[in-house]
Amino acid sequence: MKKQYTQLGSPRKPVIDNALRDLDYHAEMLSLLKLPPQQDRDAVMILHLGGVFGDKPATIARFRKNYLALPENVKARLVLENDDVSYSVHDILPICEELNIPMVLDFHHHNIVFDTDKIREGTKDIVDLFPRILQTWKRKGITPKMHYSEPTPAAITPRQRRKHNPRVATLPPCPPDTDLMIEAKDKEQAVFELMRTFKLPGFEKVNDMVPHVRKDDNKVVNTPKKKAKKKVKAEEEKDEDEEEEKREVVEDEEVGMGGPEGRVYWPPSQEHWLRPVKKVVKPKGETTPKAKNKKQQQQQKAAKDAEEEGKLMAEAVEAEVDAGVEGAAAGKKSKTKPKPKPKAKAKVKKEQEQEEEEDEEEEEEEEVKPNLALPTRKRRMPASSVGRRAGVERVRYKEEDVDEEEEEEE
């Protein structure tokens, strides 16, 4: 039983009280299992020393004080493990030897957090510490335990290396009388992989998995009842009611072991052999390669159409400019218009016709009513502003009259 969040070195009393309550509860639960003597001793509670809280020596001193105050049933099951954040083997081992606590060696954690002052030559440095580590277990008559795992292939930094690989590729150099625990995401499949690789006892029972075949569950199979015909004798109905449902039950020794065919193993990255693949919900904005190609084709087509429409619009603009020059020669002031955006051919033609009709209507209105005054505003204006506005209007109309006289003379 591994506990990572029970802190006996915390400076906060509520945390220590919760840790004591948690440890006492689990120790009592393990005792109530009534295991055989050796198995009862081997049922331990693995604990990390926890955080440093800004001062590692002070934290170790608090842990020492709180450990000595623990009840004997908790002390008999509590063991310490080196972690991958703060406490190395060289930090934990002296405390275990002083307080008579067994030490769990985690090879993966040791490869991440270790004493930089020590010489590290492969696994030789940790192998040299095996006698001291094993002695912490033998003093209490408990079977030694070690943990092994491997980082993911893509891991580089210490934080990335803390993540466990789904399966392990090799075995560490641990003593033969040690319980080695494999910490891997694929759980029992990682163990089956090692059994097949190193031909460990029982490896011949681990066969390849057949897709979606599972016969190791002790499930009741109910045979469907036949639909009774409308006209059935009473005696036949009575016989059918007395018949028991046929059930196919897997033997107890075969449950969880692959059933009669022993199919319990699947190769790495082939988990869908055991169960159907879960439905994957694609996030918004993510498209398939096929959809991306289709979208690119649509964009290219739209760009090509826009280029052709742009050429047509350019020709239309040139025609409008020529028409404006001719109108200016006739005495009309040409008005510059913004360059229109590319549109469809039908729309461009229709807009050109509407503009020509509007221009003709404006010319007719100017010929019929050249000297009409501007409409008066409804609101009252100050006398000064009215006079100025009237003066501006008078001057403007006089200038227009002069222009008309000049044109008539010409």
Side-chain angles (χ1 to χ4, degrees):
M1 184 179 294
K2 189 171 182 178
K3 305 178 70 59
Q4 294 179 327
Y5 304 102
T6 304
Q7 304 284 330
L8 288 176
S10 174
R12 297 178 56 201
K13 189 177 183 304
V15 176
I16 300 299
D17 294 340
N18 292 335
L20 297 175
R21 188 184 304 109
D22 190 38
L23 291 172
D24 185 63
Y25 168 80
H26 285 90
E28 182 181 2
M29 184 193 69
L30 292 173
S31 299
L32 292 175
L33 294 176
K34 303 298 182 183
L35 298 172
Q38 184 60 47
Q39 293 184 13
D40 185 59
R41 287 194 296 272
D42 291 345
V44 296
M45 299 184 296
I46 303 174
L47 194 69
H48 285 177
L49 198 56
V52 296
F53 304 103
D55 190 347
K56 184 181 285 189
T59 302
I60 294 174
R62 284 193 298 270
F63 173 83
R64 186 184 292 107
K65 177 182 176 182
N66 293 324
Y67 175 80
L68 294 174
L70 292 175
E72 291 300 324
N73 64 329
V74 175
K75 288 182 181 179
R77 298 187 183 278
L78 189 64
V79 299
L80 287 180
E81 176 188 355
N82 60 307
D83 60 63
D84 54 357
V85 178
S86 304
Y87 294 93
S88 66
V89 173
H90 301 94
D91 294 326
I92 298 294
L93 186 55
I95 301 172
C96 292
E97 291 174 334
E98 176 188 351
L99 300 177
N100 193 20
I101 303 174
M103 177 189 162
V104 177
L105 171 63
D106 192 305
F107 289 90
H108 178 58
H109 294 171
H110 177 64
N111 289 330
I112 298 173
V113 177
F114 53 89
D115 191 345
T116 55
D117 295 335
K118 308 295 180 182
I119 298 176
R120 299 188 74 246
E121 185 178 341
T123 56
K124 186 178 183 302
D125 67 322
I126 199 65
V127 171
D128 292 342
L129 295 176
F130 276 5
R132 293 174 60 187
I133 294 172
L134 296 176
Q135 187 61 31
T136 61
W137 295 89
K138 292 177 181 179
R139 286 187 297 185
K140 286 191 172 183
I142 305 174
T143 304
K145 292 175 176 55
M146 295 184 180
H147 294 173
Y148 181 73
S149 58
E150 295 176 358
T152 57
I156 299 175
T157 64
R159 185 177 183 84
Q160 293 173 345
R161 293 173 62 197
R162 290 170 60 188
K163 183 179 178 181
H164 293 177
N165 205 34
R167 301 192 186 187
V168 295
T170 186
L171 289 170
C174 59
D177 60 343
T178 302
D179 287 344
L180 179 65
M181 300 180 182
I182 303 298
E183 295 181 334
K185 298 296 182 182
D186 281 352
K187 299 179 173 59
E188 77 282 351
Q189 294 300 317
V191 177
F192 295 153
E193 189 77 22
L194 291 172
M195 291 172 65
R196 288 166 56 86
T197 302
F198 295 99
K199 302 295 187 292
L200 300 177
F203 80 94
E204 66 279 355
K205 297 180 181 179
V206 182
N207 300 327
D208 290 336
M209 186 70 186
V210 176
H212 308 306
V213 174
R214 188 79 186 228
K215 295 183 179 179
D216 60 337
D217 290 332
N218 197 12
K219 295 181 179 179
V220 176
V221 180
N222 296 328
T223 56
K225 293 182 179 180
K226 295 181 180 180
K227 294 182 180 180
K229 296 181 180 180
K230 294 181 180 179
K231 296 180 180 180
V232 182
K233 295 180 181 180
E235 295 179 0
E236 293 179 358
E237 291 180 356
K238 187 177 181 180
D239 294 338
E240 288 180 0
D241 293 338
E242 292 177 355
E243 289 182 359
E244 295 182 357
E245 296 179 353
K246 295 182 180 180
R247 296 182 178 181
E248 182 182 350
V249 182
V250 180
E251 297 180 4
D252 292 339
E253 59 269 17
E254 298 293 345
V255 174
M257 297 304 295
E261 299 175 358
R263 295 187 175 118
V264 294
Y265 167 81
W266 67 85
S269 72
Q270 299 295 330
E271 290 79 4
H272 61 277
W273 281 25
L274 184 67
R275 54 189 179 274
V277 181
K278 293 182 180 179
K279 184 179 179 181
V280 179
V281 180
K282 295 182 180 178
K284 293 182 179 180
E286 185 178 350
T287 56
T288 58
K290 187 176 181 181
K292 286 182 180 178
N293 294 335
K294 189 176 181 181
K295 190 175 181 181
Q296 289 177 357
Q297 291 176 0
Q298 291 177 352
Q299 291 176 351
Q300 292 175 358
K301 186 179 179 182
K304 191 175 181 181
D305 293 342
E307 187 178 354
E308 293 179 358
E309 291 173 1
K311 291 180 181 178
L312 294 173
M313 289 302 301
E315 295 176 359
V317 170
E318 290 179 0
E320 288 182 3
V321 172
D322 294 340
V325 172
E326 292 176 0
K332 181 181 176 182
K333 295 181 180 181
S334 61
K335 299 178 181 180
T336 59
K337 298 181 180 181
K339 187 176 179 181
K341 296 181 180 180
K343 297 180 181 178
K345 297 180 182 179
K347 289 184 179 180
V348 171
K349 189 174 181 181
K350 189 174 181 180
E351 290 180 359
Q352 290 178 358
E353 292 176 356
Q354 289 179 355
E355 290 177 358
E356 290 175 0
E357 290 177 359
E358 291 176 358
D359 293 340
E360 290 176 0
E361 291 176 359
E362 290 177 1
E363 290 176 1
E364 290 176 0
E365 290 177 358
E366 289 178 0
E367 290 176 1
V368 175
K369 301 177 182 180
N371 296 325
L372 289 178
L374 294 173
T376 57
R377 297 184 180 221
K378 291 183 179 180
R379 66 176 183 176
R380 294 183 179 181
M381 300 176 63
S384 58
S385 64
V386 172
R388 286 196 300 271
R389 185 175 181 80
V392 172
E393 297 296 338
R394 284 196 297 273
V395 171
R396 191 177 71 179
Y397 283 117
K398 286 179 180 179
E399 289 176 355
E400 289 179 355
D401 294 339
V402 171
D403 293 340
E404 290 178 0
E405 290 176 0
E406 292 177 357
E407 290 178 0
E408 289 176 359
E409 292 176 359
E410 290 178 359

